[in-house]
Amino acid sequence: MNRIMILAAMVVAATLLSPSATAQSGDTGMREQFVAVIDELNDNSFRKFQEAIDDEAFVSRVLGTRVIDEEARRAFAQSFASNLQQMFQSSFPAARTEEEAAGEIIGTIVSFEQDGDEARALVRYAGEGFRYTWHAYDLLRRGGRLQIVDWFDYYQARWFSEIAGDSLVRSMPGPASVRSVLEMPKPTRGQLFQVGELFKAVRDGNPRRYVEIYDGLEDALRQEPFIVEQNFHYWRILRDPGRLRAAAGALANTFPGDARYSLGLAEFYVQSRRFEDAIVEFNRLEDALGIDDAVIGSLKATAAMALGDFERAEAMALGATEAEPGLELAWWTLLRTRTAAEDYAGATEAMSVLEDRFDHLLIPEQLRRDRFLKVLIEQQEYKDWRDARDQA
């Protein structure tokens, strides 16, 4: 394998760190073309997505994000078209089990706004194991054809062009490239060398070397925003509880109230059972997205339920069903919140929707398998509801 191909492979590896929509009036085809792109992704085809990318324009956009080594620039430009699909796929939340890895990631267009030949589309991607991310796409229409300009990835907390540019810096971290990601005005040669070695450890997949270098950094370097962000993403992937806890604290302190990091922090707070903090971040994320998202509403409801705040949990779950009546998760969340609140009559209303709209059969044998819902079996409201359904 020649050096160019090795660099291309390193760039791809480094990228790991990293209801129907309603269009506004005047839409004459952009939405339909974008729907076709997402539909093909859901059918495991990347063809339309790749065709909607202007390779030359996107490569120029990536190479303009940082000061990048010339050899890395050439390698990226030569390999971009063949590696785009792998880079795109590697940016999604990592699977934690074989079952999750075997499942599909399905995209849903949750908003689409158009102004002339420009549009912004928001897509929610969902994978097995309640893995979610949102991408905000900048779109253009040129010659009647849809073009994807770039997209903001709320899981990676960056524009995709920035993710790729940062990966190129890590692939060949020379002094000029390292200097371009640091905010300190005059880093010394020693500081540039240390950060370059840290980037090489990420590039090479060497956690032991990463810890050795990171722990030896002076405070000024550890507090650099780029390093704070990288450190959080790195330990989120490797799932070291102690390191991740410290990295999340540094991220929250460095970027207070910044919605770009809300999805990652909310995920961490849920895992750490800091549910009130998670709700704050979910609210901040929803504000940034500019919509009432039913998945986020369901996640907030689950967090409130874990806090024992059943009234707030039920209100959040009900809001999720109203925001997206066709989202099955929202109805399951409403069922669980009402059951936890001992609102058994309300629980049967949610069960009716789950049976009628989503083809479930919520008989006692099914409920008995769920430690949260099996309490319904002995409730008179459920018995009356089940008898009426069975006799209908």
Side-chain angles (χ1 to χ4, degrees):
M1 183 182 291
N2 62 35
R3 185 169 176 78
I4 292 292
M5 292 305 295
I6 292 173
L7 281 169
M10 286 172 10
V11 168
V12 173
T15 306
L16 286 168
L17 283 176
S18 37
S20 300
T22 54
Q24 293 183 346
S25 60
D27 187 344
T28 56
M30 287 186 74
R31 176 184 176 275
E32 289 81 358
Q33 291 184 57
F34 189 68
V35 167
V37 168
I38 301 302
D39 284 347
E40 276 215 356
L41 286 180
N42 292 341
D43 287 336
N44 298 313
S45 172
F46 197 70
R47 181 180 60 85
K48 285 188 181 296
F49 191 101
Q50 187 126 21
E51 289 176 349
I53 300 287
D54 182 328
D55 290 358
E56 184 175 348
F58 201 90
V59 167
S60 296
R61 188 181 184 94
V62 170
L63 298 181
T65 60
R66 300 293 184 190
V67 175
I68 298 169
D69 176 87
E70 187 59 38
E71 191 170 1
R73 293 169 69 92
R74 289 198 302 271
F76 180 77
Q78 292 175 16
S79 64
F80 174 75
S82 59
N83 286 334
L84 176 59
Q85 181 174 353
Q86 188 176 350
M87 288 191 292
F88 178 79
Q89 292 172 335
S90 70
S91 68
F92 287 98
R96 292 156 293 195
T97 65
E98 290 185 8
E99 182 181 3
E100 287 182 4
E104 294 183 311
I105 295 177
I106 301 298
T108 300
I109 303 172
V110 292
S111 71
F112 190 98
E113 297 179 352
Q114 182 176 349
D115 182 9
D117 287 336
E118 299 181 358
R120 168 65 67 90
L122 183 64
V123 179
R124 181 182 66 228
Y125 292 98
E128 295 289 335
F130 299 102
R131 292 177 296 139
Y132 298 102
T133 188
W134 287 258
H135 288 183
Y137 291 88
D138 276 353
L139 308 172
L140 288 177
R141 178 173 52 195
R142 289 182 174 170
R145 293 178 60 85
L146 178 79
Q147 180 179 326
I148 297 173
V149 178
D150 205 347
W151 60 97
F152 191 88
D153 180 335
Y154 279 90
Y155 188 76
Q156 299 289 344
R158 284 188 179 278
W159 290 92
F160 189 77
S161 58
E162 294 176 331
I163 297 170
D166 293 345
S167 298
L168 289 170
V169 170
R170 293 188 191 96
S171 71
M172 293 286 286
S177 296
V178 173
R179 188 179 294 110
S180 73
V181 304
L182 298 180
E183 292 190 2
M184 58 174 55
K186 294 181 179 180
T188 66
R189 288 186 179 181
Q191 289 171 327
L192 294 175
F193 175 78
Q194 280 184 296
V195 175
E197 291 300 299
L198 189 72
F199 291 171
K200 289 177 184 177
V202 174
R203 178 196 70 191
D204 299 338
N206 190 339
R208 181 177 298 179
R209 176 64 174 154
Y210 182 91
V211 169
E212 177 186 353
I213 299 168
Y214 181 84
D215 287 352
L217 293 179
E218 58 191 89
D219 288 343
L221 287 177
R222 288 195 197 181
Q223 293 167 9
E224 274 288 326
F226 187 90
I227 293 178
V228 169
E229 183 182 20
Q230 173 185 272
N231 197 47
F232 175 75
H233 289 310
Y234 190 70
W235 293 115
R236 181 170 60 168
I237 292 170
L238 296 185
R239 301 191 182 98
D240 180 301
R243 293 275 177 178
L244 179 57
R245 188 181 309 111
L251 186 76
N253 290 332
T254 304
F255 304 98
D258 193 330
R260 292 177 300 169
Y261 307 100
S262 288
L263 180 57
L265 285 173
E267 177 187 70
F268 167 74
Y269 290 145
V270 168
Q271 293 170 354
S272 303
R273 304 190 65 79
R274 293 170 57 179
F275 297 113
E276 197 63 62
D277 289 331
I279 291 173
V280 170
E281 294 300 338
F282 281 133
N283 282 330
R284 188 171 286 136
L285 173 62
E286 207 165 31
D287 288 344
L289 296 178
I291 61 169
D292 292 330
D293 186 89
V295 164
I296 297 176
S298 299
L299 296 173
K300 288 191 296 184
T302 301
M305 187 167 57
L307 289 168
D309 192 345
F310 300 129
E311 183 177 351
R312 181 165 59 145
E314 183 174 344
M316 290 172 169
L318 185 60
T321 65
E322 293 169 349
E324 196 171 338
L327 182 69
E328 184 177 338
L329 171 67
W331 292 100
W332 279 111
T333 305
L334 183 61
L335 170 59
R336 292 177 184 279
T337 57
R338 286 179 168 173
T339 301
E342 299 182 357
D343 177 9
Y344 301 126
T348 61
E349 293 176 3
M351 295 172 83
S352 293
V353 176
L354 286 165
E355 287 203 343
D356 295 342
R357 188 174 298 172
F358 302 105
D359 297 324
H360 291 284
L361 183 61
L362 299 176
I363 56 178
E365 290 81 359
Q366 183 69 27
L367 296 179
R368 200 169 282 119
R369 301 173 185 173
D370 190 307
R371 63 190 181 97
F372 295 107
L373 299 180
K374 64 182 181 180
V375 66
L376 289 168
I377 298 172
E378 301 304 323
Q379 307 307 318
Q380 191 60 48
E381 291 89 343
Y382 170 75
K383 292 178 181 179
D384 292 344
W385 174 83
R386 186 72 267 167
D387 287 344
R389 302 284 292 186
D390 291 341
Q391 295 172 15

